[in-house]
Amino acid sequence: MNELPKHIAIIMDGNGRWATERGKKRSEGHRAGGKALENIALYAKKIGIKILSVYAFSTDNFKRSQEEVDFLMNLLIYYFNEKLDRVAKEGVKIVFSGRREHLRDDVLQAMDNIVNKTKDNDACILNICLNYGGQEEIVDATLKIHEDLNNKLIKKEDLTRESYYKYLYQDLPPIDVLIRTGKEHRLSNFMLYQNTYAEIYFLDTYFPDFSEKHLNNVLDNYKNRDRRFGGVKTN
Ligand code: IPE
Ligand code: IPE
Ligand code: MG
């Protein structure tokens, strides 16, 4: 039986469809998704999950209308300043993964504030992937490695699949459980390096409806997943 996963990741998808199907504007779906995130982050901490990574905004999400991008950025600032304060007070350390370029100054400032405010928290980590792309992360890591090799800070043989994590946006352990809400069965450029042996769960539930119950179901199922990592079952 598997122990409680150390690192859970969620592709929080389906906010727009949740809203549209209820005759609401897509922005209402994002607002409801924000509430669901606050709720699930606190619950994950309560049950002892050490790391939760969430996909909040992808590099490709800039392809959306200016109105939707602006709404999302304003909502993120609101969450970092107001809502995540509660999460922060509960001892959660908040970190970000993604590129800073193309993000507005006020968004960067709100991100920096919450990172600073929670940097000494040690109950668990909430890694928010914002302006994040998995391929971009690998490209950025490659550039950092190139620099370290050039500056003779590392030797070629120092680079292994394990040491590579140090070059990613955050040096976190591999993902044990990946959940994607919202019916689609794809990765959409999310944490490609870290999901190598993740146990994947695709849920039909739209993210605003994702709750403790859904996470508990996933965790119950995960206990009995046979994680072989390329080996052969031993029991
Ligand atoms: C996920 O919900 C949130 C973000 C990508 C920011 P969507 O906005 O993708 O919702 P759907 O997939 O259109 O329903
Ligand atoms: C993935 O969802 C990104 C986030 C949840 C932030 P998308 O809605 O952007 O993915 P696609 O377009 O369906 O692949
Ligand atoms: Mg979507």
Side-chain angles (χ1 to χ4, degrees), residues 12-17 26 61 64 180 184 186:
M12 309 186 289
D13 195 29
N15 293 350
R17 280 162 290 156
R26 289 178 59 83
N61 288 148
R64 298 185 181 197
R180 180 175 186 139
E184 310 296 358
R186 54 179 172 253

Side-chain angles (χ1 to χ4, degrees), residues 49-72:
I49 302 299
K50 285 291 162 205
I51 305 157
L52 178 65
S53 288
V54 294
Y55 207 1
F57 190 89
S58 76
T59 51
D60 292 320
N61 288 148
F62 274 115
K63 292 174 189 162
R64 298 185 181 197
S65 72
Q66 193 61 45
E67 188 195 348
E68 181 161 347
V69 172
D70 283 344
F71 182 88
L72 278 164

Side-chain angles (χ1 to χ4, degrees), residues 7 9 132 134 137-138 160-162 164-165 168 172-178 187 190-200 225-230:
H7 189 175
Y132 175 87
E137 180 170 37
I138 290 169
T160 62
R161 60 196 269 185
E162 288 83 18
Y164 198 93
Y165 279 89
L168 300 174
L172 300 171
I175 292 166
D176 300 301
V177 170
L178 171 67
L187 290 179
F190 185 56
M191 299 186 93
L192 303 178
Y193 198 85
Q194 301 88 334
N195 272 310
T196 305
Y197 275 106
E199 295 296 326
I200 306 186
R225 288 264 182 119
D226 183 17
R227 304 190 80 191
R228 291 190 292 281
F229 299 97

Side-chain angles (χ1 to χ4, degrees), residues 37-95:
L37 170 59
E38 186 192 5
N39 189 38
I40 214 66
L42 289 173
Y43 183 67
K45 186 227 146 191
K46 187 170 143 200
I47 61 174
I49 302 299
K50 285 291 162 205
I51 305 157
L52 178 65
S53 288
V54 294
Y55 207 1
F57 190 89
S58 76
T59 51
D60 292 320
N61 288 148
F62 274 115
K63 292 174 189 162
R64 298 185 181 197
S65 72
Q66 193 61 45
E67 188 195 348
E68 181 161 347
V69 172
D70 283 344
F71 182 88
L72 278 164
M73 292 301 149
N74 293 337
L75 186 70
L76 286 166
I77 292 179
Y78 168 71
Y79 266 88
F80 300 155
N81 290 340
E82 313 282 334
K83 290 288 174 185
L84 284 184
D85 219 37
R86 212 182 123 210
V87 177
K89 285 201 181 89
E90 296 272 339
V92 181
K93 176 175 176 170
I94 294 170
V95 299

